[in-house]
Amino acid sequence: VQLQASGGGLVQAGGSLTLSCAASGSIVGIDSGGWYRQIPGHPREWVATVTTGGSTNYVDSVKGRFTISRDNAKNTVYLQMNSLKPDDTAVYYCLVDVILTTRARYHYWGQGTLVTVSS
């Protein structure tokens, strides 16, 4: 099983980026998913979650600016980030509950994608 995170890059403050996290391999689908971020020297911080039922939750600092979503047909979790601020600069990681062909479920981390917001 692989989780491929993509979409990071350099953007000016106020700009937008969309991160993607696609699961592939011997899987039948994905369930809940989330995004986390980490600045060097700091612990990894939870950013957003989409639950099994489709409910979403966000850390207060991104509410109203970020939107998490899931496309079950594409086995992909997204994070739409608008009105980006320099404080959003970090490596972003996805964590997805993957359903294997054996019907077992495991959480997998993506490899991380760097988001840099310039002032």
Side-chain angles (χ1 to χ4, degrees):
V1 177
Q2 286 188 326
L3 247 57
Q4 182 67 44
S6 61
L10 174 63
V11 64
Q12 289 188 331
S16 299
L17 284 173
T18 299
L19 306 183
S20 300
C21 180
S24 62
S26 299
I27 68 173
V28 296
I30 62 173
D31 201 346
S32 62
W35 287 93
Y36 295 72
R37 62 188 180 186
Q38 188 169 24
I39 302 169
H42 291 75
R44 193 166 295 187
E45 172 192 38
W46 167 75
V47 175
T49 298
V50 55
T51 69
T52 302
S55 299
T56 57
N57 296 283
Y58 303 91
V59 67
D60 285 347
S61 60
V62 309
K63 283 181 180 177
R65 300 188 298 121
F66 290 11
T67 302
I68 188 171
S69 62
R70 179 184 64 209
D71 186 333
N72 290 334
K74 296 182 178 180
N75 295 323
T76 301
V77 177
Y78 301 96
L79 186 67
Q80 172 68 44
M81 305 185 294
N82 298 325
S83 302
L84 282 161
K85 305 174 181 180
D87 285 349
D88 295 319
T89 295
V91 177
Y92 284 71
Y93 298 89
C94 55
L95 177 65
V96 179
D97 186 14
V98 177
I99 307 168
L100 307 182
T101 53
T102 61
R103 303 297 175 175
R105 290 169 179 256
Y106 289 100
H107 285 88
Y108 288 90
W109 286 98
Q111 85 281 11
T113 184
L114 176 62
V115 172
T116 304
V117 184
S118 62
S119 58

